[in-house]
Amino acid sequence: MKSLRLGPYEVEPPVVLAPMAGITNIAFRKLCREHGAGLYVCEMVTTRALVERNPKTMRMLAFSEDERPRSLQLYGIDPEIVGQAVRMVVEEDLADHIDLNFGCPVPKVTRKGGGSALPWRHRLFERIVRRAVEAAEHVPVTVKMRKGIDDDHLTYRRAGEIAQDAGVAWVALHGRTAAQRYSGQADWEAIADLKAHLDIPVLGNGDIWEADDALRMVEQTGADGVVVGRGCLGRPWLFADLAAAFAGRTERVLPNLGEVAATMRRHAELLVEWLGDEPHGCADFRKHVAWYLKGFPVGSELRRRLAMISSLVELDDLLGKLDPATPYPVETLGQPRGRTNSPGKVALPDGWLADPDADGVPDGAELADSGG
């Protein structure tokens, strides 16, 4: 397949790590980069919080010295504030790539008219994207979105056209509606439809649990690349598999428990280094334990204790109790990881669906803080 370009950068292999709140911080991105290659996006940052220099938000903008391109995802609803945030990124050299979030299905976001709710108001969507591209100048802008609000309010085709006309570098489509959340199966046919409909690159997202899933998606949809989210939770080596797959090689990484333990230790160490505080770094690592150990025959008591660590010494002691020769549980391959939930009604501002031509910004729409 053709190489994927992002302004002056070549994304090789054509793999993007999706931003995930509380996950894709500098430590996790570095860990993933140690295993493979691609584009690694930081956690979503809200435009208002960035413009107001919220301390937590500014800390989230950390990148390694060797991390290029530095990829930042922005979320905003007010075109003027989005423009100010993008201008700030450019003038202060905060990132090399800006991705705009129109895919988040979380109620606190859609309730304000943001995330996956916003493309329904196509005029407002257009104002935001155009303002961002204009303010970005030489910095490439991309868009990530879902199919729509629900099956009766699909937006991806029109939003894709608007984004293309506004000058974005590519569009990434998660093959689910906001109402589906993370349930059911992703609709890869919608990705194929959008790819056939646009001239700019289209990336596919949804249900890429293994490297071979990425190859199937590209083959079935014609997508120019893939966006990987939950599939890499507790499996940063997935990026090595993806690199091998796109290079036409058949080898895949199946680490034994000793190798997984070493990766867990490295992850915790990177979190401690980034946060500058061992208890906080270890506390942040706890949520990853269940993902790393999924399918391994590790007793419930040891799992519980690992998920309560407060120091690296304690982590080393507990990891030392694992049997390093235990083979990887191949029965877990291809299984969903991370968030799974049921479909549900999307929280929206009053009257949001009544007039898709409306382009006003909802009162109190901009979030003052970033993260999950």
Side-chain angles (χ1 to χ4, degrees):
M1 61 188 300
K2 294 188 301 181
S3 63
L4 181 64
R5 300 294 306 183
L6 181 64
Y9 300 97
E10 181 178 7
V11 182
E12 179 61 37
V15 173
V16 177
L17 167 65
M20 291 179 280
I23 304 293
T24 58
N25 50 47
I26 187 173
F28 186 71
R29 298 197 310 273
K30 184 170 185 177
L31 183 68
C32 291
R33 285 166 45 233
E34 289 176 354
H35 286 271
L39 182 72
Y40 300 93
V41 188
C42 77
E43 299 175 75
M44 182 182 79
V45 165
T46 68
T47 52
R48 178 182 165 191
L50 178 59
V51 169
E52 294 180 354
R53 299 185 182 273
N54 175 282
K56 175 185 172 185
T57 293
M58 299 309 292
R59 184 164 184 80
M60 289 166 62
L61 288 173
F63 294 95
S64 299
E65 289 185 6
D66 61 345
E67 191 170 357
R68 290 291 188 276
R70 299 163 298 164
S71 185
L72 166 66
Q73 188 181 73
L74 291 178
Y75 157 79
I77 300 178
D78 186 322
E80 290 310 308
I81 296 178
V82 171
Q84 291 173 35
V86 172
R87 171 56 52 199
M88 178 177 166
V89 170
V90 174
E91 291 180 348
E92 300 183 20
D93 190 27
L94 300 178
D96 306 303
H97 160 231
I98 295 169
D99 186 54
L100 299 177
N101 180 300
F102 298 105
C104 183
V106 174
K108 79 171 185 178
V109 169
T110 60
R111 183 178 291 119
K112 303 285 189 178
S116 50
L118 202 147
W120 176 254
R121 294 282 178 97
H122 59 92
R123 294 185 189 279
L124 178 59
F125 174 79
E126 181 175 14
R127 286 175 59 205
I128 291 171
V129 178
R130 285 194 178 279
R131 186 71 186 90
V133 172
E134 290 167 2
E137 296 180 356
H138 62 280
V139 174
V141 175
T142 58
V143 161
K144 187 171 186 288
M145 61 188 185
R146 286 188 172 227
K147 288 172 55 182
I149 293 175
D150 53 36
D151 289 338
D152 295 324
H153 301 89
L154 298 178
T155 56
Y156 69 94
R157 265 195 165 210
R158 188 167 194 172
E161 292 172 355
I162 291 170
Q164 175 174 272
D165 291 345
V168 304
W170 72 53
V171 171
L173 178 63
H174 184 158
R176 287 181 172 88
T177 62
Q180 283 181 271
R181 301 174 189 171
Y182 296 94
S183 68
Q185 284 190 313
D187 178 10
W188 289 6
E189 290 185 7
I191 297 168
D193 179 50
L194 187 63
K195 172 59 184 173
H197 196 61
L198 300 182
D199 297 321
I200 60 173
V202 171
L203 278 63
N205 178 219
D207 294 351
I208 298 178
W209 309 113
E210 306 299 334
D212 293 338
D213 295 330
L215 295 184
R216 284 193 305 108
M217 176 183 277
V218 169
E219 181 181 356
Q220 291 179 20
T221 68
D224 300 277
V226 298
V227 180
V228 179
R230 295 174 294 154
C232 69
L233 294 176
R235 298 172 67 225
W237 54 84
L238 177 60
F239 291 98
D241 286 350
L242 287 160
F246 278 107
R249 303 194 304 272
T250 58
E251 73 267 20
R252 299 293 182 265
V253 179
L254 290 173
N256 60 29
L257 189 51
E259 293 166 323
V260 170
T263 302
M264 293 172 71
R265 178 56 165 80
R266 175 63 173 156
H267 192 169
E269 175 186 294
L270 288 169
L271 282 168
V272 169
E273 179 182 306
W274 170 53
L275 292 170
D277 179 274
E278 190 165 329
H280 282 99
C282 289
D284 196 85
F285 173 73
R286 295 171 188 165
K287 60 176 168 281
H288 297 272
V289 169
W291 295 323
Y292 276 115
L293 298 181
K294 182 175 182 177
F296 280 104
V298 177
S300 58
E301 177 60 18
L302 184 50
R303 288 174 184 269
R304 185 189 69 81
R305 291 176 64 189
L306 279 164
M308 295 176 65
I309 59 142
S310 57
S311 71
L312 293 177
V313 170
E314 186 180 3
L315 176 62
D316 289 339
D317 176 63
L318 294 172
L319 292 177
K321 300 180 186 302
L322 301 174
D323 179 358
T326 304
Y328 192 83
V330 294
E331 65 274 10
T332 66
L333 295 175
Q335 290 186 6
R337 307 176 78 84
R339 289 178 291 187
T340 54
N341 46 28
S342 301
K345 187 176 180 180
V346 181
L348 297 168
D350 290 341
W352 187 255
L353 298 177
D355 185 6
D357 290 327
D359 66 352
V361 178
D363 292 337
E366 288 286 327
L367 298 178
D369 199 6
S370 302

